[in-house]
Amino acid sequence: MWEIQKARFFKTVAALDAGPNTFPEIAFAGRSNVGKSSLINVLTNQKQLAETSKTPGKTKNLNYFLTNDNLFFVDLPGYGYAKLSAAEKARIGELVDGFLNTSPKLAGIIALVDIRHEPSELDFQMAGWVKTTGKPSLFVLTKADKLPHTQKKVQREKIITSLPASDEFEFVDFSAVTKEGKPEILKWIAKTAFPQKAKAVMRTN
Ligand code: GDP
């Protein structure tokens, strides 16, 4: 299985034109507290890596992590902080929306939604942004360990039916505690970021 062997914080970007524009990028979007840092840490096999995005000066910007020396994870600002002013929220919205629609290296988007709750207004807004990019998008339903199996299925169906254009997205349950969903997410990242390699492997099998 394709794995992330190494990962490190690369840079914080506060303006649209300041991205590295070198390797393929996978963006991670979700409201604060949804489990975005936990997901990035599990995928990269690190305990604290994504906490960097929560340190002063970085929370409202795009945070780039370099993985395997050939792929960027772009941690988008967690939105929905009640404490932010309207002007700050607008700036973050513009940065995220602008990044998703103009980054030449963006290969795909991982959007996070808490499996226990109906999608909020903010989740709908995120789904709208994601859809307009036309990029391959994977919705990760987080904190799956908090629900029993049957309820998980019910919630998943509810979320899928309530999100507009959900037939254009892929969905996977994930738990940072049990690591459920990790192999599927890694597989999706590999095929999305490196479609040529994925095709070559299929041809040789
Ligand atoms: P972020 O703000 O989106 O980066 O969210 P964090 O990754 O920091 O997670 C927010 C809180 O939810 C923390 O207390 C985590 O320990 C908890 N959490 C995140 N993912 C999971 C999960 O899969 N299962 C459980 N039980 N808790 C989780």
Side-chain angles (χ1 to χ4, degrees):
M1 189 179 75
W2 182 80
E3 275 272 6
I4 292 172
Q5 312 288 355
K6 52 179 178 171
R8 67 178 172 88
F9 175 72
F10 187 76
K11 80 186 282 202
T12 289
V13 166
L16 272 185
D17 56 1
N21 268 338
T22 46
F23 302 123
E25 296 166 355
I26 298 289
F28 291 76
R31 60 162 182 74
S32 34
N33 218 34
V34 69
K36 188 152 56 67
S37 308
S38 303
L39 171 64
I40 293 174
N41 288 340
V42 167
L43 294 177
T44 56
N45 305 310
Q46 296 207 20
K47 290 211 158 37
Q48 293 285 325
L49 182 71
E51 310 308 322
T52 316
S53 302
K54 295 181 177 171
T55 54
K58 298 192 170 65
T59 52
K60 297 168 202 164
N61 298 317
L62 312 176
N63 289 296
Y64 282 74
F65 296 91
L66 180 61
T67 69
N68 287 356
D69 293 325
N70 65 0
L71 170 68
F72 283 115
F73 281 3
V74 186
D75 190 2
L76 305 181
Y79 48 83
Y81 285 109
K83 275 179 283 175
L84 293 182
S85 70
E88 280 175 313
K89 280 184 191 160
R91 190 196 75 86
I92 292 174
E94 266 169 44
L95 183 64
V96 170
D97 199 17
F99 165 77
L100 291 177
N101 285 295
T102 62
S103 176
K105 293 288 179 188
L106 181 64
I109 303 164
I110 293 186
L112 287 77
V113 177
D114 191 319
I115 196 165
R116 295 169 300 167
H117 310 303
E118 303 287 300
S120 65
E121 269 312 306
L122 290 163
D123 293 324
F124 286 125
Q125 189 184 15
M126 172 176 72
W129 282 342
V130 167
K131 184 186 148 35
T132 47
T133 65
K135 299 279 180 190
S137 302
L138 176 68
F139 273 70
V140 171
L141 309 184
T142 63
K143 310 193 185 182
D145 58 282
K146 295 206 179 202
L147 291 182
H149 185 68
T150 43
Q151 223 180 319
K152 227 165 47 173
K153 263 178 89 174
V154 172
Q155 270 305 111
R156 187 194 311 134
E157 284 313 308
K158 266 194 196 167
I159 292 169
I160 292 175
T161 44
S162 70
L163 284 175
S166 56
D167 52 328
E168 292 172 33
F169 308 137
E170 290 182 59
F171 289 83
V172 63
D173 298 350
F174 174 74
S175 163
V177 175
T178 66
K179 314 262 194 298
E180 164 186 3
K182 179 183 177 186
E184 291 81 6
I185 299 169
L186 284 174
K187 208 169 155 187
W188 184 90
I189 292 173
K191 84 169 179 203
T192 304
F194 305 110
Q196 296 311 324
K197 270 190 210 162
K199 273 189 207 137
V201 170
M202 267 156 56
R203 273 199 298 275
T204 53
N205 279 342

